[in-house]
Amino acid sequence: MRFQFCPHCGSKPVLKEIGDEGLVPWCENCKLPLFPMFATCIIALAVNEDGEVALLRQGYLSQQYHVLVSGYMKPGESAETCAAREIREELGLEVSRLVLTGTYWLEKKDMLMIGFLARVHKQDFHLSGEVDQAVWVTSQKALTLLHPYPAISYLVADYFVQHPHALDLPNQPAEPCGVN
Ligand SMILES: [Zn+2]
């Protein structure tokens, strides 16, 4: 959102040269820069110990495709706290580990999305009222059920397909090389 008026005093902003930022909308009355504002959301792929991933059906988001856990960040919250909270709220699962997959700009909603893989324990879902249904599927299957590339949900799931050990703890023993 680009400010047409100062949200504090209602004055019309002018453009002012501010350091490396170049020309920035500026309120002369409040002596404040009025940088454009945008929402920040998390999007998370919950992965269980068998390597299966949780996909959701949420009719208000898509009739055609499954979706991932997602939600708006609250002021004062870290992206990690938000991701764990959203997975708890939507699926009823506790997160033990998070790995960042990337950050993504969602043009049509003017929104920054922060992507995570989240380790959860495989158990029955306890769905929120916002979720119609949830299923465990393989990551390969997930790519066929999500909105296709380059949708952000697809990119997050594809990160796990490309990095299947991303959630493994670094001190876990290596795979056995073979049997003598
Ligand atoms: Zn002002």
Side-chain angles (χ1 to χ4, degrees):
M1 181 182 67
R2 284 155 185 80
F3 289 107
Q4 302 299 314
F5 299 97
C6 173
H8 308 289
C9 73
S11 300
K12 201 155 175 57
V14 297
L15 286 176
K16 181 182 161 88
E17 187 92 27
I18 302 183
D20 294 338
E21 300 291 337
L23 286 174
V24 168
W26 173 265
C27 179
E28 284 286 15
N29 190 34
C30 300
K31 309 290 181 208
L32 281 176
L34 301 174
F35 290 106
M37 290 185 72
F38 52 88
T40 307
C41 285
I42 67 86
I43 179 166
L45 182 73
V47 181
N48 70 29
E49 58 270 44
D50 295 334
E52 296 170 316
V53 305
L55 297 191
L56 291 65
R57 293 310 300 245
Q58 288 183 283
Y60 78 96
L61 288 178
S62 175
Q63 292 289 339
Q64 190 176 0
Y65 297 108
H66 287 69
V67 297
L68 304 185
V69 170
S70 63
Y72 287 90
M73 284 181 61
K74 294 179 176 174
E77 203 173 42
S78 72
E80 288 82 355
T81 304
C82 177
R85 175 179 57 73
E86 290 290 348
I87 289 174
R88 190 182 310 118
E89 287 175 4
E90 295 191 1
L91 298 177
L93 302 177
E94 289 300 320
V95 171
S96 59
R97 188 169 165 80
L98 288 162
V99 170
L100 183 74
T101 64
T103 62
Y104 315 87
W105 183 251
L106 182 55
E107 187 73 44
K108 68 177 178 189
K109 291 193 176 176
D110 228 12
M111 177 188 287
L112 179 70
M113 302 203 74
I114 303 177
F116 289 102
L117 305 180
R119 169 68 77 219
V120 296
H121 180 53
K122 184 172 185 176
Q123 60 187 64
D124 290 342
F125 298 114
H126 295 279
L127 302 180
S128 90
E130 293 181 11
V131 180
D132 304 322
Q133 190 198 346
V135 288
W136 292 115
V137 297
T138 65
S139 53
Q140 287 291 349
K141 176 81 174 169
L143 295 184
T144 70
L145 297 173
L146 294 166
H147 199 285
Y149 178 90
I152 294 169
S153 57
Y154 184 99
L155 297 178
V156 172
D158 190 50
Y159 183 96
F160 182 56
V161 172
Q162 304 294 331
H163 305 86
H165 300 293
L167 284 164
D168 295 351
L169 292 169
N171 58 359
Q172 274 183 332
E175 293 283 315
C177 318
V179 179
N180 292 319

